[in-house]
Amino acid sequence: MDCREVTKTRIPFKERPDWADVKPVPQDDGPCPVVPIAYTEDFSETMDYFRAIYVADERSTRALQLTSEAIQLNPGNYTVWQFRRVVLEALGVDLHEELKFVDCIAGENTKNYQIWHHRRWLAEKLGADAVTNELEFTKKIFSQDAKNYHAWSHRQWVLQALGGWEEELAYCKQLLDDDIYNNSAWNQRYFVITRSPLLGGLVAMRELEVNYTVQTIRASPENESPWRYLRGLFKNDTQSLVQDSQAASVLLDVLTSQNSHVHALSFLLDLLCHGFEPSQELKSAVDVLTPQSCSPDLALTKKICSILEHADPMRVKYWNWRKSTVRVQSAQSQNADRLANLSMQG
């Protein structure tokens, strides 16, 4: 039976001949329930019959159908889902057909934990045969909700457990071409370049990814995601970031343009705290943006914080704190980087 037809064609269990032998088990709320829930008659009856077959551990076709109806009434009932899995295994049901049922239920419940858990269970059982279907299913979800956490978690699990990496980087690019502000797509892109067994890892992909990210920053410097992504490309290797010519180049381009400077200044501040030596052009670009109230002798890091206090008022207290601690941060970061380099040389 199509899950969408369950409630439309429902006949009470007590009127169904094939359920005449079952004695329903009512819910026991105790003698004096404080706040009894006003269940519908259909829901109460369905769950009464479910409790009966659950207690009897009946693994039959009618038990499977009963779980379908119970899930239709409450897709979040994890006990019903768990018992359904027991029945599915006992009956040896075609799990591809079960996926169709889940597709139907998931259509209006895309953030239901129980449904996604059940779907993973099915994919585990089906193995490599499920890869294409699962990746396409999550694409469908993203077309409705591009940041659905459950769908992204499921997609990442499928890739790691079952495969399907071949077109994933291209898919991330497609999503970012459609919406460069899609931070979930940026996150997935990083997941792919760091986890895919086909790409060689972060270091191998770094140059290509830096090129892509810098181009994106130049097109949308007000977009925080690519700035964060650029930092991530140099995870645990800040000295390579400090020395990267493309990073310095894009900073100068953005800071000398009429675009938003907030993320560029934040990025420059982080680089300076790790020992970055700015060019005179970069220093001049910061000077142009510095409020007239600031002393011309103010350290570059503190100038940047002063600019950000005005340009990013939502985080004015944060930038004020950074200004008061930036010298300590810079010294600590440089010492940490020196120790890391000595360790690598040793």
Side-chain angles (χ1 to χ4, degrees):
M1 180 183 293
D2 190 311
C3 68
R4 289 166 293 190
E5 298 176 357
V6 171
T7 55
K8 293 180 181 178
T9 61
R10 185 180 186 280
I11 299 172
F13 284 94
K14 62 185 178 184
E15 297 178 12
R16 304 182 197 184
D18 54 331
W19 286 92
D21 62 311
V22 177
K23 182 179 180 181
V25 177
Q27 180 167 307
D28 183 4
D29 287 330
C32 301
V34 178
V35 185
I37 299 173
Y39 297 117
T40 65
E41 184 177 342
D42 286 348
F43 180 85
S44 293
E45 189 201 33
T46 300
M47 293 308 298
D48 289 351
Y49 276 82
F50 171 75
R51 277 185 285 273
I53 64 162
Y54 182 78
V55 170
D57 195 21
E58 180 181 321
R59 307 177 186 187
S60 63
T61 301
R62 71 175 182 178
L64 184 62
Q65 179 56 38
L66 174 56
T67 62
S68 298
E69 297 188 38
I71 287 168
Q72 176 68 10
L73 292 168
N74 178 14
N77 191 320
Y78 53 85
T79 303
V80 176
W81 280 110
Q82 174 58 27
F83 187 67
R84 183 177 180 87
R85 288 189 282 275
V86 171
V87 175
L88 286 168
E89 288 200 293
L91 298 180
V93 173
D94 182 354
L95 298 184
H96 291 94
E97 291 300 313
E98 178 67 4
L99 272 175
K100 294 178 183 178
F101 171 78
V102 177
D103 285 352
C104 186
I105 295 295
E108 297 180 359
N109 299 275
T110 61
K111 297 184 178 180
N112 180 303
Y113 284 93
Q114 285 71 42
I115 291 175
W116 287 106
H117 178 74
H118 189 69
R119 192 167 194 104
R120 179 178 294 194
W121 178 82
L122 290 171
E124 285 180 324
K125 294 291 182 182
L126 292 170
D129 289 345
V131 172
T132 300
N133 185 74
E134 295 310 284
L135 294 181
E136 288 301 315
F137 178 76
T138 53
K139 282 185 181 181
K140 181 180 177 181
I141 298 298
F142 298 142
S143 68
Q144 304 165 10
D145 179 4
K147 299 183 179 182
N148 187 304
Y149 166 79
H150 302 273
W152 280 117
S153 294
H154 185 71
R155 189 177 185 89
Q156 291 185 354
W157 173 82
V158 170
L159 290 167
Q160 290 186 296
L162 305 177
W165 293 98
E166 292 78 6
E167 302 298 325
E168 194 64 13
L169 190 59
Y171 176 58
C172 293
K173 183 179 185 302
Q174 174 193 326
L175 291 175
L176 291 171
D177 286 345
D178 293 340
D179 177 13
I180 202 63
Y181 293 89
N182 185 342
N183 57 298
S184 294
W186 280 107
N187 181 73
Q188 182 70 0
R189 188 179 183 101
Y190 191 79
F191 172 81
V192 173
I193 67 166
T194 56
R195 304 292 182 88
S196 171
L198 308 179
L199 299 179
L202 178 58
V203 175
M205 292 294 294
R206 182 178 287 159
E207 185 175 356
L208 288 173
E209 289 300 293
V210 169
N211 290 339
Y212 174 82
T213 308
V214 165
Q215 290 175 13
T216 302
I217 289 173
R218 285 195 171 97
S220 303
E222 74 286 353
N223 182 4
E224 185 175 6
S225 292
W227 291 102
R228 293 291 174 188
Y229 189 79
L230 185 56
R231 288 175 172 89
L233 293 175
F234 293 89
K235 183 179 181 181
N236 300 325
D237 189 6
T238 54
Q239 281 309 295
S240 291
L241 175 58
V242 166
Q243 297 165 11
D244 189 84
S245 60
Q246 290 200 76
S249 176
V250 74
L251 274 173
L252 183 60
D253 288 348
V254 174
L255 292 177
T256 54
S257 71
Q258 298 301 313
N259 294 299
S260 171
H261 305 123
V262 170
H263 301 307
L265 288 167
S266 174
F267 186 75
L268 175 56
L269 181 62
D270 289 345
L271 290 186
L272 291 168
C273 288
H274 288 290
F276 175 64
E277 294 293 339
S279 66
Q280 186 56 50
E281 290 87 352
L282 265 177
K283 293 178 182 178
S284 298
V286 173
D287 286 339
V288 170
L289 299 171
T290 303
Q292 294 182 352
S293 58
C294 291
S295 167
D297 297 326
L298 197 64
L300 182 61
T301 52
K302 293 185 181 293
K303 284 183 182 179
I304 292 171
C305 290
S306 296
I307 299 168
L308 287 168
E309 285 174 344
H310 291 83
D312 188 18
M314 286 292 291
R315 295 189 291 176
V316 63
K317 291 185 178 180
Y318 170 72
W319 297 122
N320 185 265
W321 172 79
R322 284 295 300 268
K323 185 194 290 186
S324 68
T325 61
V326 71
R327 183 176 298 171
V328 174
Q329 289 177 339
S330 181
Q332 288 177 338
S333 297
Q334 290 181 49
N335 288 335
D337 290 339
R338 291 192 189 99
L339 289 173
N341 288 333
L342 288 172
S343 176
M344 291 175 67
Q345 291 171 9

